[in-house]
Amino acid sequence: MIVTWWKKNSKHKDAQTGAAIEFVDNETTAINKELQSALQMVTWVNFSDVEKADWINKVVEQAWPFFGMYMEKLLKENIQPVIRLSNAALKMFTFTKIHFGNRPFRITGIKAYTHEVDQREVVLDMYISYEGDVDINAVVKPPITAGVKQIKLKGMLRVILDPLIGQAPLVGGVTFFFIRCPTLEITWTGATSILDSPAFGSFSEETILGIIASLMVLPNRMCFPLIDQVKMDHMRFPLPCGVVRVHVLEARDLVAKDTYMMGLVKGKSDPYAKLRVGDRLFKTKTIKQNLNPVWNEVYEFVVHQAPGQELELELYDEDTDKDDFLGKYNLDFGEVRREKEIDQWFTLEGIANGEVHLKLQWLSLQTDSSLLKESADGLACAMLAVYLDNASNLPKHREITERQKQEKHGKHAKEPQLTKRTPLPNSIVEFSIDENVQKSKVVYASKDPVWEQGFNFFVRNVKTQQLIVQVKESEKKTLLGSLNLPLTRFLNTSNMTLDQRFQLERSGANSQIKLKAILRILTVDKPKPKDVSSPPQVKQQQKGQANQATNGSVPTASVATSSSPALSSTNNVITQAAAPAQSLAPVRAADSQNGSNDGFSSHSRGQTSESGRSPPSASSIRRYDSKSLLSDNSIASSRFDISDGASYPEAIRKHKGSFGEIHLTVRYATLRNKLIILVNACRNLFPCSQNGTDSYVRLYLLPDQTWRHRKRTHVKRKTVDPEYNDKFDFDVTLEEAQTRKLDVAVKNNKMFHTRERKDIGMVLLDLSQLDLVKGVTDWYELTLPGLKTMT
C-alpha cells in the first residue's frame, strides 16, 4: 500500500510539472482557451465582431424600476390565476411580495448581422447575464410559504426584427429566442423549502429550464407582431432549413472514473452520452465497464438556424449517486450543412483524454414525391411540421359526459342544458404518429383556445402512418374531439401542405381546429468530391485548351481565323451555319457537364453589349439563338452588341499592359439563403480618355443571361480607380450556387465609336472553387478574351 501511494503521489507531481511546462510552451493558446471558457462576462474579448452595449445597459438600468412594476402586474393578474388553475393543490396560491431588486440584467455583448440576412430584417445576438437580487414571496397553501431571493441566468438571445416597413413603427414584428438553453441558478427561501411542498415537489432548476425551453428555446419562439398584416404562423413557424442525422458510433481512451480502495485502485467507467439540440435531449444506452464503448445509435434533429444551432454532446460515467463527467464536444450544424457529411473522431473537451466517433449527415427538405424512399433500417424518410393555431366551439366537460352516457344506453343525444356552474374546458392537444406523442401547452377556461405552437415529427412510412390529433381536458383527460390525417393525403396536395380548419370528430356540431401541416421528403445530400486541381483561372485556361483540342476542326465561337475583325465575324457565321448538328453535339455535351457553355461564354463576352437601343439583325438571331446549334443555355438578346461584328476599340487592341483589377467580395448569406456579391472597387483601369474612364460593372450568374438576371453598378466618371461599394444578391440555394459561375465585366459608359465594344476587362469566377460560407474578398485581374486573335 505504501508503494502504491508513493507511485500515485509521484504521478501526480509529474503531471503538475508537465502541465506547467506545457503552459509555458503554449502560453498564448492556453490563455485564449481560458478566455473563451471562463470570461463569459466580457464576450467582446473572445469575439472581435461582438461589441459592447454599455448604452443599452444604461437604458435598462434607468427603466428597471418600471420593468419591476410591469412584472408585478403581470405576475398577479396573469400568472397567479394560471397557477391556481393548473393544480388543485394550488387553489390558494398568492403572491405576497414581488420585488425585482436593484440589479438589472446586463447585455455583456451584442452582435449585429448585416450582410448575412435579408435587407428587410435585422438580426441581433445579445449575450445576457442576470444576477438579480429579487425578493419574491408567495403562499402556496397556508401555512406553506415559498420564495426566491436570487436568480442567476446566462445565455445568448437572438432577436429578429422582421419585416422592416416604410411606415410607423418601421418594424412589422419582433421575434426572440435562445438558440441554446441558457444556464440558470435559483436560491429558494421561505418558512419551508419550496421543494418540500407537494405542489412543487418536482420543481427544480432543471424543470424551470424545461419551461423556458418550451417557450423560448428553438424551435420555440416568442413573437410580437406590431402590425396587423404580419401573420403569426409565419413568425412562429418558419420552415426548418434541414435535418441532421447523427450517428453516435463509439468512443475510445475514456477516463476511468470508477475507483476502489479509496481511490488507490483504478477501475473503468460506465459511459453514456447525452445529445442536446435546443430543447431536444436524447440519451444513449450505458455500456458497462468499458473505456472504449461502442453504441452505434442514430438520432435525428430538425435544424432551424445553420450556422447557429449546435450539437451539444456530453459523456458521463453512470453511478448510483452522481454521474461523473467524461468530456464534451460542441459542433455547429453550419459545418455539417457545408460539408454535407462528416465522419471523424472528435477530441473531448474539459477532460484529460478521450475521443468520440461521430458521423453526421445533412438531409435537405424536398417537395418531389418521386424522391420518397423508405429506409430498411427504420430511419426517417420524411418530416412533418405541424403548426397548431386555435380551436373554436369546444364542448364543455358536462356536455361530453352526458353525450357519452346517452350513447352508452343507446339513446339519442340531446342538446344539454347549460348552466352557469358548467366550467369552461382546460384544453390540451396531443399529436401522435405511432409511439411519438407530443403535447401542447394547457389553455385554461376557454371554449375557443389559442395555442400558436409548432411541432415536428419524423416519418418512417408515409403510406401507412397517420397523424392523430386529440383535444383533451387537461386534468380528467376527457376527450373533447379528435382528428385523423393519413399522411398519404399530403402527397396529393399542392406543395404537400394543408392549411385549413378541420371539423373535430366525437365533439360538438360546430367544433373545429385550425392546423397548418407541411410534409417534406428527406434526401441525403452527398458530399462533394475533394478538388485538388489548379486555381480557378488556371483551370479555366486548361479547360478552354482542352475543349479546343477535343473539338478539332469544329470552330467554336471564341476562335477567330482571320486578322480582320469584320471578316472574322463573317467567317464564323458561314462556318457555323454550314456545320452539321452532329458535329456540334459533342461540344454541347461537354459544355453541359461543366454547368455552362464555356466556349460560348467567352465569345458572348467578346461579341455582345448591354445596350438594347438597336435590335439584332436576322442573321444575328439565327447565329446566336438557333436551338439546333446551341445548348439550352442560349444567350438572350440582352447580350447582343449594338451592331453585328463589333470589335474592340483600336486603343484597347494596341494596349500591351494590364487592363486593371477589380475588388470583389463573394459570400453566401445562410440566414437569407442568398448569394451576396459586393463590387467594391477597381484600380488601374485602362484610361479611355485623357480625363480617365466613365465605367460601370455588369454581373451575370451563369447560365442566367437575360435582362431580368442582369445586375449593374452605378457609373463612376472620369477615374481609373473607381469605388462602387454596390451590393447585389441572387436568390439561389447554397448547393446551386456552388455549381454556378459569376460573369463580371467592367464596361466603358462612353463609346469610342458606335460600332466598338464597351468592354474594358472581364473576370469569370468558378464559384465551386470558392468557400462561399466563409466568404472570399480579393483583387482579380481583368482580361479580354479573344483580344489577341483580333490584333
Side-chain angles (χ1 to χ4, degrees):
M1 291 178 61
I2 294 175
V3 172
T4 304
W5 174 83
W6 177 80
K7 288 183 178 179
K8 180 180 180 182
N9 193 38
S10 300
K11 289 182 179 179
H12 181 67
K13 290 182 178 179
D14 293 341
Q16 286 183 326
T17 305
I21 295 175
E22 183 180 1
F23 174 76
V24 173
D25 294 338
N26 304 280
E27 183 177 359
T28 303
T29 304
I31 292 176
N32 290 336
K33 186 176 181 180
E34 183 65 23
L35 284 175
Q36 292 180 359
S37 61
L39 298 183
Q40 297 299 325
M41 292 292 291
V42 283
T43 315
W44 57 87
V45 173
N46 304 329
F47 308 99
S48 58
D49 53 353
V50 177
E51 303 172 357
K52 292 183 179 182
D54 288 340
W55 68 272
I56 298 181
N57 293 325
K58 292 179 181 179
V59 173
V60 173
E61 184 177 2
Q62 190 74 8
W64 189 249
F66 303 94
F67 172 80
M69 296 168 57
Y70 167 77
M71 290 301 298
E72 181 178 1
K73 183 178 179 181
L74 177 67
L75 290 175
K76 287 188 175 181
E77 296 182 1
N78 298 91
I79 306 300
Q80 183 173 291
V82 172
I83 293 176
R84 289 179 174 180
L85 291 172
S86 63
N87 195 314
L90 299 176
K91 292 182 178 180
M92 303 294 293
F93 182 91
T94 304
F95 285 106
T96 58
K97 182 179 182 180
I98 299 175
H99 179 57
F100 275 81
N102 301 316
R103 294 201 299 263
F105 69 86
R106 293 186 57 82
I107 298 177
T108 60
I110 186 169
K111 178 179 179 180
Y113 295 89
T114 55
H115 303 301
E116 299 87 350
V117 300
D118 192 273
Q119 294 179 351
R120 297 190 61 186
E121 70 177 3
V122 175
V123 177
L124 304 173
D125 282 347
M126 296 184 178
Y127 297 83
I128 294 179
S129 176
Y130 178 51
E131 297 187 11
D133 54 338
V134 300
D135 188 5
I136 301 176
N137 295 325
V139 175
V140 180
K141 184 178 182 181
I144 300 175
T145 62
V148 177
K149 71 174 183 179
Q150 189 174 27
I151 297 177
K152 293 183 179 181
L153 185 141
K154 292 182 181 180
M156 190 271 284
L157 186 71
R158 173 160 291 183
V159 181
I160 300 178
L161 309 179
D162 177 57
L164 301 180
I165 56 178
Q167 59 187 24
L170 300 181
V171 178
V174 180
T175 303
F176 56 88
F177 51 84
F178 290 101
I179 293 182
R180 291 172 292 279
C181 201
T183 60
L184 176 67
E185 296 180 15
I186 298 178
T187 303
W188 303 99
T189 62
T192 180
S193 172
I194 193 172
L195 300 181
D196 295 334
S197 169
F200 285 85
S202 60
F203 246 49
S204 64
E205 283 82 356
E206 186 174 353
T207 305
I208 297 177
L209 274 178
I211 297 174
I212 295 176
S214 65
L215 297 174
M216 296 179 59
V217 178
L218 277 179
N220 306 297
R221 305 162 182 248
M222 297 288 288
C223 302
F224 299 95
L226 303 180
I227 58 175
D228 296 335
Q229 290 79 2
V230 176
K231 296 183 179 180
M232 287 297 295
D233 60 331
H234 293 164
M235 296 182 65
R236 288 186 179 273
F237 192 61
L239 195 64
C241 59
V243 171
V244 171
R245 182 172 291 160
V246 181
H247 300 254
V248 184
L249 302 177
E250 55 185 328
R252 66 188 179 191
D253 196 23
L254 297 181
V255 176
K257 288 292 185 177
D258 296 335
T259 58
Y260 307 97
M261 296 181 64
M262 300 180 65
L264 297 177
V265 179
K266 285 286 186 180
K268 294 187 177 180
S269 295
D270 305 324
Y272 67 89
K274 283 185 177 180
L275 298 90
R276 180 191 293 273
V277 176
D279 66 337
R280 303 289 292 171
L281 177 64
F282 293 100
K283 176 183 175 182
T284 67
K285 60 186 177 182
T286 302
I287 308 297
K288 296 293 184 179
Q289 294 295 307
N290 200 325
L291 300 181
N292 301 286
V294 177
W295 291 288
N296 286 328
E297 297 184 12
V298 183
Y299 303 93
E300 292 163 326
F301 297 95
V302 177
V303 182
H304 296 266
Q305 300 281 325
Q309 280 186 281
E310 291 183 346
L311 170 66
E312 303 174 45
L313 175 71
E314 294 181 342
L315 268 62
Y316 289 92
D317 167 41
E318 188 175 66
D319 288 323
T320 54
D321 49 0
K322 183 180 180 181
D323 297 343
D324 296 318
F325 179 70
L326 292 178
K328 67 176 183 178
Y329 190 85
N330 291 3
L331 179 65
D332 195 310
F333 280 149
E335 298 183 24
V336 186
R337 185 177 187 178
R338 181 173 63 253
E339 299 294 334
K340 307 304 180 186
E341 181 176 305
I342 297 178
D343 186 356
Q344 68 183 68
W345 288 88
F346 297 95
T347 302
L348 294 174
E349 300 173 354
I351 200 72
N353 55 273
E355 292 180 300
V356 62
H357 186 195
L358 301 177
K359 178 181 178 182
L360 303 100
Q361 296 173 299
W362 181 267
L363 284 72
S364 58
L365 308 179
Q366 305 292 337
T367 58
D368 187 359
S369 59
S370 63
L371 300 176
L372 181 61
K373 295 181 180 179
E374 297 175 1
S375 175
D377 49 8
L379 298 178
C381 63
M383 186 203 73
L384 181 68
V386 181
Y387 177 72
L388 171 62
D389 194 340
N390 61 73
S392 58
N393 299 315
L394 289 183
K396 301 179 182 179
H397 175 69
R398 179 179 174 181
E399 298 176 18
I400 294 293
T401 304
E402 292 183 359
R403 183 179 295 110
Q404 290 176 348
K405 289 181 179 179
Q406 293 171 353
E407 291 177 354
K408 182 177 181 181
H409 294 87
K411 299 179 181 180
H412 294 288
K414 299 179 181 180
E415 290 294 329
Q417 297 179 356
L418 301 181
T419 64
K420 294 183 179 179
R421 296 182 179 179
T422 304
L424 294 173
N426 303 329
S427 52
I428 187 174
V429 181
E430 288 187 2
F431 296 93
S432 62
I433 297 181
D434 293 341
E435 296 83 10
N436 188 359
V437 180
Q438 299 185 35
K439 299 180 181 180
S440 71
K441 64 183 180 182
V442 180
V443 177
Y444 296 97
S446 177
K447 200 174 182 180
D448 302 309
V450 177
W451 292 279
E452 295 181 339
Q453 284 183 271
F455 306 88
N456 295 303
F457 294 88
F458 290 110
V459 180
R460 271 67 182 173
N461 193 323
V462 177
K463 298 180 180 179
T464 59
Q465 290 182 307
Q466 60 179 347
L467 175 67
I468 300 176
V469 184
Q470 292 182 326
V471 185
K472 295 183 178 181
E473 218 281 337
S474 60
E475 293 183 359
K476 300 180 180 179
K477 303 299 181 183
T478 305
L479 185 65
L480 301 178
S482 64
L483 172 68
N484 292 355
L485 286 176
L487 299 185
T488 53
R489 181 174 174 181
F490 291 88
L491 301 178
N492 301 321
T493 60
S494 174
N495 202 30
M496 293 189 182
T497 302
L498 291 175
D499 186 5
Q500 64 185 74
R501 305 192 73 89
F502 297 90
Q503 180 68 37
L504 288 173
E505 301 175 359
R506 304 170 63 184
S507 186
N510 298 320
S511 300
Q512 294 181 330
I513 187 170
K514 189 176 188 304
L515 299 175
K516 180 178 182 180
I518 302 173
L519 183 70
R520 288 294 181 265
I521 309 301
L522 299 181
T523 59
V524 179
D525 289 351
K526 297 298 181 182
K528 294 184 177 181
K530 300 296 182 180
D531 191 358
V532 293
S533 59
S534 305
Q537 294 180 352
V538 178
K539 186 176 180 180
Q540 291 297 328
Q541 296 175 1
Q542 294 175 350
K543 188 184 298 180
Q545 295 174 0
N547 286 340
Q548 293 179 12
T550 303
N551 297 333
S553 60
V554 179
T556 62
S558 62
V559 179
T561 58
S562 173
S563 58
S564 171
L567 183 58
S568 170
S569 176
T570 306
N571 291 338
N572 279 338
V573 174
I574 298 174
T575 308
Q576 290 188 11
Q582 293 83 353
S583 63
L584 287 175
V587 180
R588 294 198 301 270
D591 293 335
S592 62
Q593 292 175 0
N594 295 330
S596 65
N597 197 322
D598 289 339
F600 183 72
S601 296
S602 63
H603 170 73
S604 63
R605 290 194 303 270
Q607 296 289 339
T608 60
S609 174
E610 303 306 275
S611 175
R613 291 175 293 179
S614 178
S617 62
S619 62
S620 299
I621 296 178
R622 288 195 302 270
R623 170 183 169 190
Y624 286 99
D625 285 346
S626 175
K627 294 295 181 180
S628 63
L629 296 179
L630 299 179
S631 66
D632 292 336
N633 296 332
S634 301
I635 300 297
S637 59
S638 64
R639 299 278 287 173
F640 293 143
D641 262 336
I642 295 177
S643 58
D644 190 20
S647 64
Y648 291 106
E650 182 179 0
I652 290 182
R653 284 188 282 119
K654 292 182 178 181
H655 183 67
K656 301 299 183 181
S658 171
F659 290 99
E661 294 177 301
I662 185 170
H663 192 242
L664 300 173
T665 298
V666 183
R667 64 172 175 268
Y668 191 82
T670 54
L671 295 179
R672 295 178 54 192
N673 292 327
K674 292 178 182 293
L675 177 67
I676 306 298
I677 310 297
L678 294 177
V679 181
N680 302 314
C682 292
R683 64 186 180 190
N684 301 325
L685 290 181
F686 176 80
C688 297
S689 68
Q690 295 181 352
N691 298 325
T693 300
D694 295 351
S695 61
Y696 66 91
V697 180
R698 186 268 302 140
L699 304 175
Y700 281 110
L701 187 62
L702 301 180
D704 299 330
Q705 299 171 350
T706 64
W707 277 108
R708 184 167 59 91
H709 300 99
R710 172 177 175 265
K711 312 282 187 181
R712 61 165 289 176
T713 67
H714 58 286
V715 179
K716 284 293 184 178
R717 303 186 183 279
K718 299 180 180 180
T719 178
V720 294
D721 298 310
E723 293 186 4
Y724 302 101
N725 296 321
D726 286 345
K727 181 171 72 171
F728 306 96
D729 54 66
F730 296 88
D731 291 317
V732 293
T733 63
L734 177 60
E735 293 76 11
E736 184 181 358
Q738 291 172 339
T739 64
R740 299 288 197 98
K741 296 179 182 178
L742 183 67
D743 182 3
V744 184
V746 182
K747 294 181 174 287
N748 176 23
N749 192 54
K750 291 185 177 180
M751 297 295 295
F752 288 99
H753 189 270
T754 56
R755 293 179 60 86
E756 292 175 338
R757 293 173 47 187
K758 305 166 69 172
D759 301 287
I760 301 174
M762 304 171 188
V763 173
L764 184 64
L765 297 181
D766 189 348
L767 301 185
S768 64
Q769 305 298 316
L770 305 179
D771 189 345
L772 299 181
V773 176
K774 291 184 178 180
V776 177
T777 300
D778 203 354
W779 287 95
Y780 297 92
E781 183 74 21
L782 296 174
T783 61
L784 288 177
L787 180 62
K788 293 183 179 180
T789 60
M790 296 182 181
T791 57

